[in-house]
């Protein structure tokens, strides 16, 4: 049986501008900065497709090259969210990285919802996906990055505040202009 990553690649087809090779140095620098190992399927997907947009709706992020420590901090920082959470845990029920078990952002959508890994397990393969809306609604689901995306395409898993028109009938991935 094909993995969720293989199914997703079959659905999306070959990228127009394939990144084509693992960015080991980029991931190592990011993981050293974060102090955690990122999920393997996220890195594998992003190494093939690069940063871009699924069906013009879900924007997927990753560093695009080697970065200085300040650039890594800017890319991965959730300090504003950490500040907002202080004293408002009822609005923000999850900690934000680098707090232990905190959320690590990997994307956002056209309606300003944010997509995160919940880094609460030592094994990144067991991290859950959390989606937060701009109205402080939260959705939490198990499964890997590619499991979650495939369940969205299969119509089996989605936050109630996600756009019901997404995903459309023809799945596509558009890389960001770099």
């Amino acid at each position: 049986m094909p993995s969720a990553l293989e199914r997703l690649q079959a659905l999306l087809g070959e990228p127009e501008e394939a990144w084509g090779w693992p960015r080991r140095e980029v991931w190592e620098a990011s993981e050293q900065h974060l102090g955690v190992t990122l999920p393997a399927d996220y890195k594998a997907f992003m190494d093939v497709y690069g940063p871009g947009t699924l069906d013009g709706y879900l924007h997927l992020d990753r560093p695009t090259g080697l970065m200085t420590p300040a650039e890594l901090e800017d890319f991965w920082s959730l300090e504003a969210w950490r500040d907002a959470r202080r004293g408002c845990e009822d609005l923000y029920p999850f900690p934000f990285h680098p707090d232990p078990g905190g959320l690590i952002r990997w994307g956002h959508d056209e309606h300003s919802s944010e997509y995160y890994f919940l880094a609460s397990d030592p094994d990144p393969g067991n991290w859950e996906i959390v989606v937060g809306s701009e109205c402080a609604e939260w959705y939490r689901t198990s499964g890997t990055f590619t499991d979650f995306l495939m369940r969205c395409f299969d119509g089996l898993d989605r936050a109630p505040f996600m756009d019901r028109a997404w995903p459309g009938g023809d799945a596509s991935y558009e890389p960001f202009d770099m």
Side-chain angles (χ1 to χ4, degrees), residues 5-172:
L5 177 59
E6 292 166 333
R7 289 184 58 222
L8 192 56
Q9 287 178 293
L11 182 68
L12 296 173
E14 290 297 317
E16 289 179 24
E17 298 177 30
W19 284 56
W21 69 89
R23 304 296 200 278
R24 217 169 272 110
E25 318 79 42
V26 172
W27 294 124
E28 287 171 0
S30 289
E31 291 170 342
Q32 182 177 4
H33 173 78
L34 292 167
V36 296
T37 300
L38 293 163
D41 69 326
Y42 165 70
K43 294 186 292 188
F45 179 89
M46 297 306 289
D47 280 344
V48 171
Y49 290 92
T53 304
L54 276 170
D55 289 341
Y57 175 74
L58 181 57
H59 306 277
L60 305 179
D61 301 324
R62 66 152 283 167
T64 57
L66 290 177
M67 302 172 131
T68 66
E71 290 169 327
L72 283 166
E73 178 60 26
D74 186 51
F75 183 87
W76 291 109
S77 178
L78 293 172
E79 194 59 37
W81 289 110
R82 291 176 71 216
D83 289 344
R85 184 174 191 263
R86 288 185 185 101
C88 296
E89 286 84 4
D90 54 325
L91 292 177
Y92 305 100
F94 302 98
F96 293 93
H97 189 77
D99 291 342
L103 298 173
I104 298 172
R105 186 175 173 272
W106 56 261
H108 65 281
D109 68 29
E110 288 296 304
H111 300 295
S112 301
S113 293
E114 304 274 338
Y115 294 71
Y116 304 95
F117 295 116
L118 181 60
S120 60
D121 190 286
D123 180 353
N126 294 330
W127 289 357
E128 293 177 293
I129 301 295
V130 172
V131 184
S133 80
E134 67 177 335
C135 299
E137 297 172 280
W138 296 92
Y139 180 75
R140 179 178 181 173
T141 187
S142 61
T144 67
F145 170 78
T146 53
D147 287 337
F148 171 71
L149 293 178
M150 277 310 307
R151 289 192 314 262
C152 287
F153 277 105
D154 291 339
L156 301 174
D157 191 6
R158 58 185 311 110
F161 46 82
M162 286 172 67
D163 189 329
R164 290 287 170 210
W166 184 81
D170 294 325
S172 66

